[in-house]
Amino acid sequence: MKVAFFDTKSYDKPSFEKYGKEYGIEFKYFETKLNADTAELAHGFDGVCVFVNDTVDAEVIDKLCEVGVQFIALRCAGFNNVDMKHAFGRIHVFRVPAYSPYAVAEHTMALLLTSIRRIHKAYIRSRDFNFSLSGLTGFDLHGKTVGVIGTGKIGRVFIDICRGFGMRVLAYDKYPAQGLDNGDTVRYVELDELFANSDIISLHCPLTEETHHMINAEAIEKCKKGVVILNTSRGALVDAEALLAGIKSRKVGAACLDVYEEESDLFFEDNSGHILEDDTLARLISMPNVIVTSHQAFLTEDALENIAETTVTNIVGFYKSGECPNELCYRGGNAEDCKSGKCF
Ligand code: NAI
């Protein structure tokens, strides 16, 4: 079986080669992202393997179908870059629902600690033998309140980590998890209560029409002064202009972003020799209380192994049995199922 692998990075290959050989899948690695211009490269392949910033819109899906591609294997959990309604009934779509919630949750805490204890500043100073402590005062996490939006796999691991630090948790989820609210240190509340009472807010919900720009000017207005905003989920959950305004007005005390709405042409690439055209991102990065990492939260050896193994077993399992538990969109299904959400 032959699979065209788009948006290849050096760290992808070792684990995909290992599991590809083990399960008899031949990957052809393309550095380019999948989009309407590059979809033709998939000619002659049984499927494509794509990541978060590949474009899988209606036009691309039609082109993939035209060249005989039967499946799209997402090597990620989120699928907001796929036009699922269009895919339904046309092509199979698999994903890796969880590769390491620990990787993302731990990176979120790493960003938070780096930011509030000014580790990023201290690191640079001490390399220059500047051992002054002025301007490095942080605050204790113990006793603080963290608002966690999205209490799925990653959100719940992050809550466990925060509880280990002695923090109180206010949680919000459209579909609250059974048994998480203990009426004391972890409580489900409405969004407005979360905004009003959280010292730190961390986003762990998917990007949907409903959650798009959920952190906007209005939401920031409702927050406590000095709130720390953490986003390791999807960039467009945050209105970056509003965040920048909140930082400038000192309403937002700090922001840690592993994702950014306009990241697709920038993140994962070395742009150090280029002039950054995105003024909002440039201004955010210039702020002393903003930390940006480039969609790195998932990047652990453990997660890369899980991603490759699950992607390969999704494909092989599907061809063996005609079914895959990680299929998002069933090619043979009907549009009504898709509209009602039954297909994913
Ligand atoms: P999950 O599916 O286990 O949990 C998502 C939670 O969000 C669910 O409990 C769901 O009920 C909730 N939710 C759905 N709609 C909501 C809404 N309107 N308001 C509030 N909550 C809502 O997903 P998981 O594995 O925890 O991942 C969360 C997000 O993390 C993913 O959607 C993805 O965007 C992001 N992610 C980021 C990575 C990175 O490297 N930065 C890596 C992997 C995932």
Side-chain angles (χ1 to χ4, degrees), residues 18-231:
K18 175 177 145 189
Y19 287 104
K21 276 204 183 91
E22 197 176 322
Y23 287 91
I25 297 180
E26 188 188 326
F27 289 104
K28 167 87 178 167
Y29 298 97
F30 295 105
E31 284 186 15
T32 181
K33 291 187 179 63
L34 177 65
N35 56 42
D37 297 330
T38 60
E40 180 65 30
L41 289 169
H43 189 93
F45 290 89
D46 301 294
V48 295
C49 182
V50 302
F51 198 50
V52 293
N53 288 322
D54 290 293
T55 306
V56 195
D57 58 13
E59 189 184 0
V60 169
I61 290 167
D62 287 343
K63 287 193 173 172
L64 292 177
C65 293
E66 271 167 34
V67 299
V69 166
Q70 295 170 42
F71 63 84
I72 297 163
L74 291 163
R75 53 181 191 277
C76 52
F79 48 90
N80 52 286
N81 55 331
V82 182
D83 185 336
M84 293 305 302
K85 293 230 172 349
H86 195 76
F88 193 73
R90 290 184 170 86
I91 195 161
H92 294 283
V93 184
F94 317 124
R95 69 165 176 156
V96 182
Y99 25 97
S100 173
Y102 308 102
V104 182
E106 288 169 16
H107 188 78
T108 311
M109 181 49 84
L111 286 173
L112 174 60
L113 285 171
T114 302
S115 164
I116 65 156
R117 301 307 303 267
R118 315 278 190 265
I119 306 290
H120 54 310
K121 297 281 167 201
Y123 174 75
I124 290 168
R125 276 191 197 180
S126 56
R127 284 173 65 89
D128 207 20
F129 309 122
N130 172 356
F131 301 117
S132 155
L133 295 183
S134 76
L136 299 185
T137 309
F139 62 83
D140 291 8
L141 287 180
H142 184 89
K144 296 293 184 298
T145 300
V146 59
V148 177
I149 302 180
T151 55
K153 291 176 283 298
I154 296 170
R156 286 206 299 273
V157 174
F158 186 65
I159 287 173
D160 284 345
I161 294 172
C162 289
R163 291 182 68 194
F165 276 79
M167 301 170 84
R168 281 179 292 120
V169 179
L170 296 178
Y172 173 79
D173 197 298
K174 199 174 170 190
Y175 309 100
Q178 294 290 322
L180 185 64
D181 187 325
N182 60 15
D184 182 20
T185 48
V186 183
R187 284 193 304 119
Y188 274 111
V189 294
E190 289 305 315
L191 260 188
D192 278 0
E193 189 178 340
L194 184 149
F195 287 142
N197 296 304
S198 299
D199 302 295
I200 296 143
I201 294 176
S202 196
L203 305 175
H204 300 289
C205 59
L207 175 63
T208 62
E209 276 174 25
E210 209 176 341
T211 60
H212 184 264
H213 285 188
M214 72 187 311
I215 302 297
N216 55 18
E218 204 186 329
I220 290 171
E221 189 53 40
K222 293 174 186 164
C223 289
K224 275 177 128 173
K225 184 167 166 41
V227 63
V228 179
I229 308 241
L230 311 173
N231 187 9

Side-chain angles (χ1 to χ4, degrees), residues 263-324:
E263 72 179 45
S264 63
D265 292 332
L266 292 168
F267 281 17
F268 302 109
E269 308 295 339
D270 179 0
N271 282 295
S272 57
H274 299 266
I275 289 169
L276 187 60
E277 301 281 353
D278 186 325
D279 289 348
T280 309
L281 181 62
R283 191 77 174 96
L284 280 169
I285 289 174
S286 77
M287 295 287 182
N289 52 355
V290 174
I291 296 182
V292 175
T293 52
S294 61
H295 210 133
Q296 177 191 335
F298 75 99
L299 193 63
T300 64
E301 285 172 8
D302 316 67
L304 289 174
E305 280 279 313
N306 289 341
I307 288 170
E309 186 175 17
T310 308
T311 305
V312 167
T313 51
N314 278 347
I315 298 168
V316 172
F318 174 75
Y319 273 92
K320 272 195 182 147
S321 67
E323 280 181 20
C324 169

